[in-house]
Each structure stands twice: as structure tokens, then as C-alpha cells.
Amino acid sequence: MKKQKLAPFGIAAFLWIVGLGIPASGNAGVNVDISIPLPGLVIPAPPAMIVIPGTSVYYPPDVQADIFFYHGYWYRPYRGHWFISAGYNGPWGGIAIGRVPRPLLGIPPHFRHVAPGYERVPYGVMRRNWRAWERDRYWEKREGRREYRRDERREREFRH
């Protein structure tokens, strides 16, 4: 009988010790670090954006960190991990590599080279139009440049 009563107590004591992180033996120890570094990134004002040619992925050319806008969300690769946010200044949450959209994983290493005809787009204009631009393949059509310039003028007038 005593053996049956001691077994649950022994298991509970063991779990309590493990839960505190105290090693069961004086010489052995296990250190498990599962913290993920969160990217510290502050962008002082809505950034101008440029589309990466051949994609529907945008990036802010004046921000030195790799940060991308795709389908309404911001993504950032940082120290071997990917992060996602609804806003360019966060808050950022970790995202599994399997959940990162394919166009982001295929970004060419020279993406900061701006191709002729691809201009900076004010953040507000990009935010309002990215769905329609993607649907209509706006960046693949050269005749769309005049429409963009009209939107850019409206954005400047709105700010003043």
C-alpha cells in the first residue's frame, strides 16, 4: 500500500522540480531558450513605397531594414525568422516559414535596384490601391503611369 501512495507524491515532486527549472541532480542542468528576437523598427512617418518588378510585393526604399508589404500585411525577415504585422511599425508577431507567402520567399537579392518606370508611391496611395493594382496587373501596364501621377498629386493636396 505504501508504494502506491508514494508513487503519486514522487511524480508530483518531480514535476514541481522540473517546473521550477531546478535540475534533479546537483551536477546536471538543462537550459531551454525558446525566446524569439523581436525586430526593433521604428519608421517615423508613412514610408514611400516601390513595387518589386514582377511581383505584387512593395518595399520602402528609404528604410534600411528589409520590410515588405504584401496583401495588406507587413512582413519582415529578421535573424533567420519571419515576422508579420498589420502596420509598418508593428506590433510584430512571429510567423512560421510555411505561412510566409511564396512571393516573399522568392524576392530577388537585388530587389532594391529600381527598374525604369517604377516610381515611389506615397504610402496612402499604395494602401488604398494595392488590391485594384494587383487585380488589374497595374504595374505590368505602362499606360497606368499617368493615373498614378494623378493619385500622387491628390495625396500631396490632401496633406496640405
Side-chain angles (χ1 to χ4, degrees):
M1 272 266 159
K2 287 187 179 185
K3 288 184 182 179
Q4 291 176 351
K5 289 182 180 179
L6 290 178
F9 175 74
I11 292 171
F14 174 76
L15 292 174
W16 182 76
I17 290 171
V18 170
L20 290 176
I22 301 171
S25 121
N27 295 342
V30 176
N31 184 11
V32 178
D33 185 11
I34 55 172
S35 64
I36 298 173
L38 295 177
L41 176 67
V42 177
I43 301 172
M49 305 295 288
I50 294 180
V51 69
I52 298 173
T55 73
S56 295
V57 178
Y58 297 81
Y59 77 97
D62 298 326
V63 176
Q64 296 305 312
D66 288 346
I67 178 174
F68 307 101
F69 180 88
Y70 180 72
H71 281 201
Y73 290 96
W74 291 86
Y75 295 87
R76 181 171 183 209
Y78 183 75
R79 294 188 179 174
H81 301 282
W82 278 86
F83 296 86
I84 185 171
S85 175
Y88 59 84
N89 271 333
W92 297 93
I95 182 173
I97 190 73
R99 308 267 312 166
V100 176
R102 284 184 188 248
L104 294 168
L105 298 174
I107 292 174
H110 60 279
F111 73 90
R112 290 191 181 271
H113 171 75
V114 180
Y118 289 87
E119 304 168 1
R120 294 170 189 257
V121 179
Y123 175 75
V125 172
M126 188 261 330
R127 187 77 182 168
R128 280 191 307 273
N129 294 301
W130 70 266
R131 279 187 185 96
W133 287 346
E134 185 171 343
R135 180 187 63 237
D136 300 338
R137 300 185 177 268
Y138 176 79
W139 295 108
E140 295 175 19
K141 299 175 183 176
R142 297 294 182 216
E143 64 270 12
R145 300 296 180 254
R146 287 188 189 114
E147 179 183 330
Y148 157 72
R149 290 189 183 107
R150 257 194 328 267
D151 284 346
E152 184 181 42
R153 279 194 300 273
R154 283 188 209 134
E155 181 79 11
R156 275 194 301 251
E157 291 168 5
F158 178 74
R159 282 190 234 156
H160 297 299

